[in-house]
Amino acid sequence: MIDVRRFETLGGANHGWLHARHHFSFANYYDPKRMGWGRLRVWNDDEIAAQSGFPPHPHADMEIITYVRTGAITHQDSMGNTGRTAAGDVQVMSAGTGVRHAEYNMENERTTLFQIWIETDRPGAQPSWGQREFPKSDRSGRFTVVASGDPADEALTINADARVLAATLKAGESLSYDLAPGRRAYLVPAVGRVDVNGVVLNARDGAGVIDEPTLTITADEDAELVMVDSL
């Protein structure tokens, strides 16, 4: 089964400095049919104006992954971490017992990103933060794990039985991904139009996948993909 969430049907809000689209219920957007996808709770598609951002605010017991699509985001938190994450790269924050953080676009251009929240497997754990560069050339034609609860994946660490993956495809290229029994996937093309097991997704559409043992993804246009594999 593939449940398609077209970009134009997503909830959202426009605060001037922030134009947000929500794949699932979030903040003032509520749809009882879109509360999450398994352990995946939030997938926000954010556009942040230059020289603006989210002031300090708290989180607890959530795994928060930020995939920067264009521009860059600068992170500051109550643990003393600071860092700038640029387009194509990823940062993660395990909120654990509680952390305050701020996210600012300190660039002179708009920043766009996906922010993904996954329910934690370790409530009350110590909070942590990390970031890594993931060159697009390393994930050309294949999925690369960028965040995972499995140390064997050698990715950014999260406290959840989940993987966040990214890939790029040239027009006409295909890749396949095996989805283990009982698991779900949620796939969003950041860029480009793709065919997923016969279902067409446009850029920034979302697709919830369950009971499909293998995903075959073919790019109709040059594409950049982000996907979560979770319970």
Side-chain angles (χ1 to χ4, degrees):
M1 186 190 79
I2 300 179
D3 181 10
V4 177
R5 316 284 176 89
R6 298 296 178 195
F7 178 75
E8 60 270 18
T9 72
L10 303 181
N14 191 341
H15 302 286
W17 66 272
L18 169 68
H19 190 191
R21 295 295 191 116
H22 309 309
H23 284 255
F24 307 111
S25 294
F26 185 84
N28 292 328
Y29 167 61
Y30 174 72
D31 182 340
K33 295 180 181 179
R34 293 187 175 182
M35 297 303 296
W37 190 250
R39 304 297 297 276
L40 174 62
R41 180 63 188 84
V42 168
W43 192 305
N44 288 346
D45 181 325
D46 290 342
E47 302 177 17
I48 306 166
Q51 302 298 320
S52 66
F54 300 91
H57 57 281
H59 292 284
D61 284 337
M62 192 66 70
E63 305 301 309
I64 300 172
I65 301 98
T66 302
Y67 180 96
V68 181
R69 291 155 39 215
T70 64
I73 199 77
T74 297
H75 169 96
Q76 303 170 3
D77 66 40
S78 55
M79 297 177 284
N81 297 306
T82 61
R84 177 181 178 274
T85 304
D89 299 333
V90 180
Q91 67 171 14
V92 300
M93 186 175 74
S94 293
T97 53
V99 63
R100 290 180 63 83
H101 79 139
E103 303 289 342
Y104 294 113
N105 174 12
M106 302 181 75
E107 314 302 309
N108 293 319
E109 62 178 334
R110 181 185 65 169
T111 287
T112 64
L113 55 82
F114 292 143
Q115 189 168 97
I116 298 164
W117 296 12
I118 301 172
E119 295 175 3
T120 188
D121 289 345
R122 294 181 57 202
Q126 284 295 110
S128 62
W129 177 83
Q131 69 176 128
R132 260 183 63 182
E133 296 181 2
F134 289 94
K136 291 183 181 181
S137 59
D138 291 350
R139 43 192 159 103
S140 177
R142 66 185 183 93
F143 275 118
T144 294
V145 183
V146 299
S148 175
D150 184 350
D153 285 327
E154 298 183 347
L156 287 165
T157 299
I158 55 175
N159 295 320
D161 183 1
R163 287 175 169 167
V164 182
L165 307 105
T168 60
L169 289 175
K170 295 292 186 183
E173 289 185 339
S174 297
L175 63 77
S176 293
Y177 183 83
D178 293 332
L179 193 62
R183 299 188 71 84
R184 301 167 180 252
Y186 197 82
L187 172 70
V188 180
V191 174
R193 185 178 66 247
V194 299
D195 178 293
V196 184
N197 289 11
V199 175
V200 174
L201 297 181
N202 297 310
R204 300 162 77 185
D205 289 348
V209 182
I210 190 170
D211 296 331
E212 299 269 347
T214 300
L215 298 182
T216 300
I217 304 164
T218 301
D220 297 329
E221 306 167 343
D222 289 356
E224 181 179 353
L225 310 173
V226 182
M227 186 171 74
V228 170
D229 173 341
S230 66
L231 294 173

